[in-house]
């Protein structure tokens, strides 16, 4: 990850972030499926739950190191713009969702983890948009 | 902001990767500056000026001078 992050920092940032979120999402789907069908014991759910966030933890450490020393000024700006853009889109969609639900319009029921996943994917989209702007 | 980075680099027969390495930034950053999608910070602009042995104004010019 380190060598390619120097030669293609934007691509590495987006792909490793999406990969980490995807692993978390797959772990969550597995746990939900198993919990509903009582397929796996609870202790396995706990192991999968912990294991599925390991890539996100690694990504957090990697991002901290890259921001502190390896990302140049443009990449730091891409990260900042990506997070800001993702949050702005999330805020807009969340406001729309709340208004539609308050108005009695049919909207899918979302658990807090679904909302977190949505925000995470929007941040990934924000990274991609910000990176594309400077390419 | 306009700049002459591509010309100055070509005169020295440096690739974008060469210039990026000399300045300690990524090749993508050099490309974004050359295509005027990104304006460098003052410290980076001064490093460029020092590298090319030029004044800042000889590399960067504002879009429109009042």
């Amino acid at each position: 990850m380190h060598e390619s992050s120097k030669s293609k920092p934007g691509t590495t940032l987006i792909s490793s972030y999406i990969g980490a979120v995807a692993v978390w999402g797959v772990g969550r789907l597995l746990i939900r499926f198993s919990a509903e069908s009582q397929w796996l014991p609870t202790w396995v759910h706990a192991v999968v739950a912990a294991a599925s966030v390991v890539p996100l933890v690694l990504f957090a450490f990697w991002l901290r190191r890259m921001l502190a020393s390896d990302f140049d000024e443009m990449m730091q700006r891409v990260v900042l713009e990506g997070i800001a853009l993702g949050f702005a889109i999330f805020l807009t969609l969340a406001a729309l969702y709340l208004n539609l639900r308050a108005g009695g319009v049919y909207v899918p029921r979302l658990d807090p983890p679904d909302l977190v996943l949505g925000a995470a994917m929007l941040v990934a989209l924000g990274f991609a948009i910000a990176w594309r702007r400077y390419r | 902001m306009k700049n002459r980075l591509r010309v100055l680099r070509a005169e020295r027969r440096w690739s974008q990767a060469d210039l990026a390495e000399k300045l300690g930034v990524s090749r993508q950053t050099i490309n974004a500056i050359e295509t005027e999608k990104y304006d460098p910070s003052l410290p980076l602009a001064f490093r460029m000026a020092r590298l090319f042995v030029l004044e800042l104004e000889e590399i960067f010019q504002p879009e429109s001078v009042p």
Side-chain angles (χ1 to χ4, degrees):
Chain A
M1 184 186 275
H2 190 65
E3 278 308 308
S4 68
S5 66
K6 284 195 168 178
S7 58
K8 294 182 177 176
T11 308
T12 309
L13 171 73
I14 295 164
S15 60
S16 49
Y17 182 68
I18 290 177
V21 172
V23 169
W24 174 77
V26 169
R28 176 171 151 68
L29 281 175
L30 181 66
I31 292 168
R32 280 187 75 163
F33 173 75
S34 172
E36 285 172 10
S37 62
Q38 297 181 336
W39 177 41
L40 296 167
T42 307
W43 70 268
V44 176
H45 294 172
V47 170
V48 173
S52 65
V53 297
V54 168
L56 280 170
V57 173
L58 294 176
F59 175 80
F61 279 108
W62 174 79
L63 184 63
R64 182 178 169 276
R65 193 187 68 202
M66 296 302 283
L67 283 172
S69 58
D70 286 351
F71 276 174
D72 64 17
E73 58 183 53
M74 192 182 79
M75 276 311 299
Q76 290 176 353
R77 184 165 168 167
V78 165
V79 171
L80 190 65
E81 283 187 16
I83 292 171
L85 190 59
F87 182 72
I89 298 171
F90 176 74
L91 198 63
T92 308
L93 292 178
L96 176 66
Y97 176 82
L98 287 175
N99 277 356
L100 289 174
R101 201 173 70 176
V105 180
Y106 172 75
V107 285
R109 184 151 192 87
L110 298 174
D111 296 332
D114 295 326
L115 295 172
V116 171
L117 183 61
M121 296 314 291
L122 288 173
V123 167
L125 179 68
F127 283 156
I129 292 171
W131 177 236
R132 188 177 170 81
R133 187 180 153 200
Y134 294 111
R135 283 184 77 185
Chain B
M1 189 159 57
K2 290 182 176 180
N3 70 75
R4 295 175 53 228
L5 199 60
R6 190 185 293 274
V7 175
L8 294 169
R9 177 176 62 77
E11 284 173 358
R12 286 154 182 80
R13 298 181 189 281
W14 292 341
S15 66
Q16 286 186 338
D18 294 335
L19 182 56
E21 193 178 339
K22 291 175 195 297
L23 293 169
V25 296
S26 66
R27 189 195 60 75
Q28 286 80 5
T29 296
I30 298 299
N31 185 58
I33 295 170
E34 285 188 356
T35 53
E36 296 172 2
K37 290 177 180 171
Y38 174 71
D39 291 333
S41 67
L42 265 181
L44 178 55
F46 275 113
R47 287 211 303 276
M48 290 173 176
R50 202 176 305 131
L51 180 67
F52 289 116
V53 198
L54 292 169
E55 296 295 323
L56 269 185
E57 294 84 350
E58 294 176 276
I59 305 175
F60 299 98
Q61 298 90 33
E63 287 288 345
S64 58
V65 180

